[in-house]
Amino acid sequence: MIPFDFQPRTRIVFGADKIDELGRLAFDLGARRALVVSDAGVIETGHTQRGLDALQDAGLDTAVFQDFRENPTTEDVERGAELAVGWEPDLLVGLGGGSSLDCAKGINFVYSNGGRMQDYWGVDKAALPMLPMIAVPTTAGTGSETQSFALISDAETHVKMACGDKKAACRIALLDPQLTVTQPRRVTALTGIDALAHTLETQVTKPRNLISQTFSREAWRLLAANFVAVLDDAENLEARCGMQLGACFAGLAIENSMLGAAHALANPLTAAYNIVHGEAVALMLPHVIRFNGVTAAARYEELLRETAAMAGGPSGATGFAEAGFAGAGVEGLARFIERVREHAGLAGRLAECGVERDRLPKLAEEAAKQWTGTFNPRDLTSADWLQLYEQAW
């Protein structure tokens, strides 16, 4: 029995049209001036304006920061912090996908504690209190709304830094599944496969515990049952609900158990080749499942049983049992991920993404340096990192 210390820090508010309650929730936190961090694509959909209207109707003054990239960098955070210095907010709102939420957290670190984002790489580096934050995710993927980490890339080295502090956890995660309906299919695919990876990694990591595994299993049940449904029918609100809750629960699992080798392998691909995070994770995940299956088969099979039981349900879980995956053990789980990856239209080989074979040893060196790899259930040698890339090439 693995010891744990579970302290929920984020209130979760879920339901259709809940974004209209953003102003009341912010006001109840004592806020009067909000800085809203939201990307251009979300602003174009009108979701940001709807959030601003709710805040303003509750009497809050608002400003918007949108000058950041898909993978927010230290430079993006610096620009946001400069805006915050002039605006002097008492609340931050991240309204958008994982990039918006991460950037908002990054701004909170620098604005509240000074210095540079690099100063907070690691855990518990913030000495001073941080502003309260409300997360309003418009995608179902990262689960950042229930995590105390900001993932920020160093603008010079391109290394993705995990900056964590319990003070950075959002006070409120406002989940409105209607906001996810406007996602393009590719965004739904990329974020959904990332969320699935979160469930599979948190289920087996070394720090896993009964709390994290509870969230992992429920997240898997929701995500595996609904992922293909939202790809095939963007307007399926019930499936969107399942995906958003599943991603949120997977975020709670990460907060209590961390991630593993699939994310360690994905980060260098994003840094070196600008492969979108979800696609990079999807490329590596089946190979990591097979590698980990040597020692983690029993824990993977808990999820296999969940998926097999769902196969006759309303969403069908992509015909999991009918396709013969349920009885195929770890290999069946890896093939299931390959199947949904293909259905999502994501790349199946590194070579398809322009990765040169002679660069694999350098990528393996970088993967071995990633923090998440230390939590993988099976330790990896330098040869193992390279072999996993070669299998995916």
Side-chain angles (χ1 to χ4, degrees):
M1 196 71 70
I2 302 173
F4 62 83
D5 182 347
F6 178 57
Q7 181 181 350
R9 293 173 174 84
T10 304
R11 173 185 175 187
I12 300 173
V13 179
F14 168 75
D17 295 321
K18 285 295 183 181
I19 191 172
D20 295 331
E21 297 183 19
L22 176 59
R24 177 185 63 79
L25 294 168
F27 189 87
D28 289 348
L29 289 176
R32 299 298 180 266
R33 293 174 67 83
L35 176 60
V36 178
V37 180
S38 191
D39 70 82
V42 175
I43 291 172
E44 188 176 345
T45 65
H47 298 328
T48 306
Q49 188 58 53
R50 190 172 172 188
L52 291 170
D53 290 343
L55 290 167
Q56 291 162 7
D57 288 346
L60 277 77
D61 294 325
T62 60
V64 177
F65 177 67
Q66 67 177 85
D67 187 16
F68 58 93
R69 279 154 277 204
E70 183 176 344
N71 290 300
T73 69
T74 50
E75 291 177 349
D76 298 329
V77 169
E78 288 170 9
R79 285 193 298 272
E82 288 174 5
L83 175 59
V85 168
W87 180 246
E88 296 185 350
D90 51 20
L91 173 74
L92 283 166
V93 177
L95 201 165
S99 298
S100 297
L101 274 55
D102 280 337
C103 192
K105 290 179 188 175
I107 292 169
N108 205 356
F109 272 104
V110 175
Y111 176 67
S112 300
N113 281 263
R116 306 186 309 150
M117 196 69 234
Q118 290 89 335
D119 299 331
Y120 305 102
W121 188 4
V123 181
D124 296 334
K125 300 291 183 67
L128 301 176
M130 298 172 70
L131 291 183
M133 180 173 156
I134 298 177
V136 188
T138 60
T139 63
T142 67
S144 180
E145 65 272 12
T146 49
Q147 297 174 49
S148 57
F149 280 81
L151 298 180
I152 306 294
S153 296
D154 188 302
E156 295 182 0
T157 66
H158 306 295
V159 171
K160 185 171 283 191
M161 304 182 300
C163 306
D165 196 292
K166 299 306 182 187
K167 294 186 286 295
C170 300
R171 294 284 187 88
I172 299 172
L174 196 162
L175 308 181
D176 185 340
Q178 287 189 327
L179 303 184
T180 69
V181 172
T182 56
Q183 293 177 100
R185 187 180 189 273
R186 179 166 170 79
V187 175
T188 297
L190 292 167
T191 55
I193 202 79
D194 189 30
L196 279 170
H198 293 164
T199 69
L200 290 166
E201 295 223 274
T202 55
Q203 173 74 356
V204 299
T205 53
K206 291 175 182 175
R208 73 191 183 282
N209 55 60
L210 289 176
I211 292 291
S212 70
Q213 289 184 299
T214 297
F215 287 122
S216 296
R217 287 192 293 270
E218 182 62 14
W220 172 261
R221 191 184 69 81
L222 290 164
L223 294 164
N226 290 293
F227 185 36
V228 169
V230 294
L231 290 173
D232 292 346
D233 180 8
E235 302 292 329
N236 186 334
L237 188 60
E238 182 179 355
R240 292 284 186 187
C241 288
M243 290 298 293
Q244 193 173 50
L245 283 175
C248 176
F249 292 165
L252 285 164
I254 295 171
E255 185 72 1
N256 290 276
S257 68
M258 304 307 295
L259 290 166
H263 279 73
L265 289 156
N267 288 342
L269 296 174
T270 299
Y273 291 94
N274 205 30
I275 299 173
V276 179
H277 176 72
E279 191 150 37
V281 170
L283 282 162
M284 301 311 306
L285 182 59
H287 306 289
V288 171
I289 291 170
R290 294 182 176 104
F291 177 84
N292 286 341
V294 173
T295 58
R299 293 188 291 277
Y300 281 139
E301 285 167 5
E302 288 183 37
L303 301 185
L304 286 168
R305 289 191 291 272
E306 288 281 344
T307 316
M310 290 186 298
S315 299
T318 333
F320 183 88
E322 292 86 344
F325 296 151
V330 171
E331 178 60 25
L333 185 58
R335 286 194 284 117
F336 177 62
I337 295 301
E338 289 169 343
R339 173 169 173 161
V340 295
R341 182 182 66 192
E342 180 181 1
H343 189 84
L346 302 179
R349 312 296 304 178
L350 292 177
E352 295 175 43
C353 300
V355 178
E356 302 93 346
R357 186 157 195 165
D358 61 3
R359 291 286 302 279
L360 297 185
K362 178 60 177 176
L363 289 170
E365 288 180 20
E366 294 302 316
K369 299 175 184 176
Q370 299 292 313
W371 189 45
T372 57
T374 64
F375 304 110
N376 198 65
R378 184 181 173 194
D379 292 334
L380 292 94
T381 66
S382 56
D384 291 329
W385 292 110
L386 178 57
Q387 184 177 43
L388 286 165
Y389 277 132
E390 289 176 338
Q391 290 169 351
W393 192 82

